[in-house]
Amino acid sequence: MKIYAISDVTFDLIAKEIDSISDGAISCSFSYEEDIITKLLSIDPSELKEFDIIFIHSDQIFHSRPTEWQKQLCNALLRISAQLKDKKILVSNSLSNAFKTPPLKFSFGKAFDTASLYSSEIGLLLGQANLFIFDFQSILTSIGEKNFYNYATGHLYQMPYTSKAIKAMVETLANQFKWLVTEEKKVIVVDCDNTLWKGIIGEDGIKGIFCDKDAEGIMYYHFQEFLKVKKEEGFLLCICSKNNEKDVKEAFDVKNFVLKWEDFIIRKINWNDKAANIQEIATELNVGTDSFIFIDDNKFELDFVRNMLPKVTCIEFTDDYNNFISLNNRFEFKKKLVLKEDLEKTEQYIKQQQRSAEEQNYGNIDDFIKSLEIKMDIRLNDISDLERLSQMTGKTNQFNFNKEEYTSEMLEHFIDKGGKIYSLKVSDKFGDYGTVGLIMIKEGNRKELILENYLMSCRALGKKIEDGFLNYVVEDLMKNKLYISSVKFVKTVKNIPAEKFYNKIKNETNYFRTTATIL
């Protein structure tokens, strides 16, 4: 992973430390710029092709920049975000409502909040899909300004940070860089005893477990609040606990927990080993274990799952509040973008479970599919859906012909250049799947059509929807005597379902003018 840092403080020590703690996985180049705005306005995008992330850090506290300068920086950041649509841009948030200006000549000794004076610019920045925030302010607040800055050496060498500040910045930046280029987690699996509540229900009974606003239960109450927020952001919650299910269910019925029984999409409450239970959850949800976070208070259980399922992120839960704050700040729990479909994720999986249960009532798959009363809504170049389609290019793994990530701006540019983007929404008698499919068609050098990408959410697979979607697109093209003659297919570790589908249809002339060529 290659990072290009632009900063108005000397960044070489931080860059070297990031390289060191990542064991070379992160290579960080930096450019010190006294006049950072001029640098941003003069950047040539072609010079940054080799970099995965552009990091921009301007320390407003150290430099005491005036309000108008901060406005100009915001506008420069907006411009570079538009110029580098295919790059992830990380920006330090020293431009924030936490920043107070030094007292001015006629302020009568009163500092005042200046960020509100350019809140519209900040709002525009936060709305950019390819722009993310490095929370410099929270690190500064947690350490304290006196322990964060060394102003004497700072003004001599333009490196104002103490070793404590550098360590905190390096740790956070390394984790955030990694998060920006890896796929998001989807599933949070939690233990019950001494995790969702204090106490062991099998030994202490329901009256002996605590999760409330009193002293004994407050830590667990806040943890359940945290998980509730994660569910609302689109994470799927599951329980994996060595317990009697009847006891756990009764606890949820009797206690006034923040989380309810129904908040957990799957509950594995038995005496099987936890690695086997987590693997079963992954199979039932049809997602890889690398999408999982497992939280438990028991180190043995964590080590066992870590050894058996190394792709699962394992986190120890303790009732220490400092550890809880650290857990809150972990990037595994963050979403790069939260859309309407994410907010409905749990409900969608409940509907999927209902479909799976009904399938057992049918002797063959065709009768089951017919019973679902599937409806497909296919749209061409629907600008309103580009954010969701962009998200799918980053998150969809199993049915994805070409694992290339597109921002919504890149998709819009694809359309402007004459490309066709077909999007697919699906519903059936159980409910709405949301937007689940994408097919991208573009014209090649010799006017032939290229299937640039075909992807579909795993929740729509297995119902012949993928066949119906492609049939529609091919027929729509044929109306104008247009034919697909080549396909861009990139084999990955995870896209075996896409590969099987492609192998099934690649020689069918009703789809392609001739046998499709892989690009």
Side-chain angles (χ1 to χ4, degrees), residues 35 315 403 415:
D35 186 352
I315 299 174
K403 187 57 179 168
I415 293 170

Side-chain angles (χ1 to χ4, degrees), residues 26 40 49 84 134 192 251 262 266 333 359 366 404 411 460:
I26 302 174
L40 293 177
K49 282 184 178 179
L84 304 174
F134 165 58
C192 292
E262 296 76 21
I266 295 176
F333 294 106
E359 186 176 358
D366 291 331
E404 185 173 338
L411 293 175

Side-chain angles (χ1 to χ4, degrees), residues 18-57:
I18 290 172
D19 290 349
S20 175
I21 69 167
S22 69
D23 293 325
I26 302 174
S27 173
C28 190
S29 304
F30 80 96
S31 172
Y32 166 71
E33 300 295 336
E34 184 176 351
D35 186 352
I36 196 170
I37 292 177
T38 299
K39 172 65 176 179
L40 293 177
L41 293 176
S42 62
I43 278 179
D44 180 356
S46 65
E47 295 175 359
L48 302 176
K49 282 184 178 179
E50 65 178 297
F51 296 100
D52 302 295
I53 298 168
I54 312 302
F55 174 51
I56 302 167
H57 176 60

Side-chain angles (χ1 to χ4, degrees), residues 378-390 393 406-424 435 437-442 450 452-453 455 469 472-473 476-477:
I378 300 171
R379 304 180 183 189
L380 175 61
N381 294 343
D382 182 5
I383 301 296
S384 67
D385 213 18
L386 292 188
E387 276 200 350
R388 166 58 182 164
L389 297 175
S390 166
T393 65
Y406 294 83
T407 64
S408 55
E409 290 83 3
M410 290 168 69
L411 293 175
E412 190 168 354
H413 182 67
F414 185 88
I415 293 170
D416 291 342
K417 296 280 285 184
K420 298 177 184 291
I421 294 180
Y422 293 86
S423 56
L424 170 67
T435 299
L438 163 71
I439 290 178
M440 298 172 65
I441 305 290
K442 73 175 184 180
I450 300 169
E452 180 73 9
N453 200 5
L455 60 83
F469 186 25
Y472 175 92
V473 170
D476 188 60
L477 294 171

Side-chain angles (χ1 to χ4, degrees), residues 418-433:
K420 298 177 184 291
I421 294 180
Y422 293 86
S423 56
L424 170 67
K425 298 177 185 289
V426 175
S427 62
D428 63 20
K429 67 179 184 181
F430 287 101
D432 191 359
Y433 294 60

Side-chain angles (χ1 to χ4, degrees), residues 55-67:
F55 174 51
I56 302 167
H57 176 60
S58 175
D59 192 324
Q60 304 309 303
I61 289 82
F62 175 61
H63 290 296
S64 298
R65 304 290 193 188
T67 303

